[in-house]
Amino acid sequence: MPNEGHYSPEDIIKEAKKQIPGVDKIIEETWEELGLNEEMIKNAFGLVLVEFDRLATDKFRYYETKALKRLAELWLESQGPNLKENLKSVLESQDFINKLASMFVEFAYMVQRLEKDLGNMRKARGGKTFEKVICRLLNFIGIPCEIPTGEYRERLRRIDIVIPNSVEALENPDKAVFITCKRTLRERWRQEVPAVGPNQRVYLLTLDEELSQEKANEIRSLGLIVYVRDDLKQSRFKSKSWVRKLSDLPKDISLY
């Protein structure tokens, strides 16, 4: 940070964001809090994934609150030690409403900026957390998998997780499982999922509670199997064989 009393709005926002830990730290905190074991994950993979997502999101919102509080603290510090006296002087003036509004307009701007940035971070990190947690859960119960990186990421394009590894996925695709993770299916979801090649098993995993019959049919037309929340499968997609429960994923993979 710059010297006391010389914080710019950009400095304050940047410093406030430091209250938000990385994805891996939030995953570790959530994992520890849930006290997961192999039997729990194997028997209720979908329920564990939904609860993990809920708790990790709550943790991120907790850190968002800390960031907003830090923003307020830094803004107050930037106003110097005589803020109380300055406010008193403003309130005694004839035009105190306009002067107060002018005084706090910068603070309001920074809050809006930070809230917008935090919202974008929450969405991006939510997707990345979903991907990493799936990979970690599968590895934990003895299903080898990895998130492609570097050259493998480029070559596998929209694939987020491969079983058992990237080399096998590229050299022997008929012996691998390809997973694409979409926490929610947004408007452009069709452009964000991979094309299914010959003899490839490509699974789409989502937590989207708004999945429609129309989207489910589109997913089938793309040659994908989709795994959804257990309750969603039971309540809305019982008759659709290509829509499966997330809790069935470990068993389905182990069949190959």
Side-chain angles (χ1 to χ4, degrees), residues 128 131 147-161 166:
K128 183 58 66 176
E131 174 185 308
I147 296 171
T149 58
E151 178 189 349
Y152 295 115
R153 187 79 177 184
E154 291 180 14
R155 294 177 65 184
L156 288 164
R157 300 182 66 186
R158 299 182 182 95
I159 298 298
D160 298 311
I161 299 171
S166 299

Side-chain angles (χ1 to χ4, degrees), residues 35-52:
L36 297 173
N37 58 58
E38 191 171 343
E39 183 179 1
M40 185 188 307
I41 296 169
K42 282 183 176 179
N43 293 336
F45 187 87
L47 298 179
V48 168
L49 196 52
V50 168
E51 182 62 11
F52 205 112

Side-chain angles (χ1 to χ4, degrees), residues 45 49 124 126-136 138 145-148 153 157-162 178-186 189 192-194 202-208 224-227 246 249:
F45 187 87
L49 196 52
K128 183 58 66 176
T129 299
F130 183 51
E131 174 185 308
K132 286 192 168 190
V133 169
I134 290 168
C135 191
R136 179 164 176 171
L138 291 175
C145 63
E146 67 181 27
I147 296 171
R153 187 79 177 184
R157 300 182 66 186
R158 299 182 182 95
I159 298 298
D160 298 311
I161 299 171
V162 288
F178 302 80
I179 296 176
T180 183
C181 307
K182 298 298 172 196
R183 187 170 175 270
T184 58
L185 298 175
R186 299 175 188 171
W189 71 272
E192 296 172 352
V193 297
V202 183
Y203 298 156
L204 167 62
L205 275 57
T206 183
L207 293 178
D208 198 331
L224 298 166
I225 298 293
V226 60
Y227 287 83
L246 278 164
L249 180 67

Side-chain angles (χ1 to χ4, degrees), residues 14-23 25-26 59-68 114 117-118 121-122 125:
K14 183 178 179 180
E15 188 70 16
K17 286 181 184 177
K18 291 181 181 179
Q19 297 297 312
I20 310 291
V23 166
K25 185 177 189 307
I26 290 181
K59 286 187 178 294
F60 189 86
R61 289 188 180 279
Y62 163 75
Y63 286 113
E64 283 183 342
T65 300
K66 290 189 68 174
L68 287 164
L114 181 58
D117 289 353
L118 292 175
M121 289 170 65
R122 192 188 318 122
R125 292 187 177 208

Side-chain angles (χ1 to χ4, degrees), residues 211-230:
L211 182 65
S212 65
Q213 299 289 334
E214 181 182 1
K215 277 186 181 178
N217 291 333
E218 288 181 39
I219 288 169
R220 185 186 194 184
S221 71
L222 295 172
L224 298 166
I225 298 293
V226 60
Y227 287 83
V228 302
R229 298 167 62 107
D230 294 10

Side-chain angles (χ1 to χ4, degrees), residues 138 142-144 162-165 168 172-179 196 199-205 223-227 241-242 244 248-256:
L138 291 175
I143 297 175
V162 288
I163 300 170
N165 55 60
E168 189 76 359
N172 301 293
D174 60 313
K175 297 179 180 179
V177 175
F178 302 80
I179 296 176
V196 180
N199 300 317
Q200 277 190 329
R201 294 187 299 278
V202 183
Y203 298 156
L204 167 62
L205 275 57
L224 298 166
I225 298 293
V226 60
Y227 287 83
S241 60
W242 68 93
R244 302 177 184 174
D248 287 339
L249 180 67
K251 176 188 65 179
D252 290 353
I253 291 173
S254 65
L255 294 176
Y256 296 102

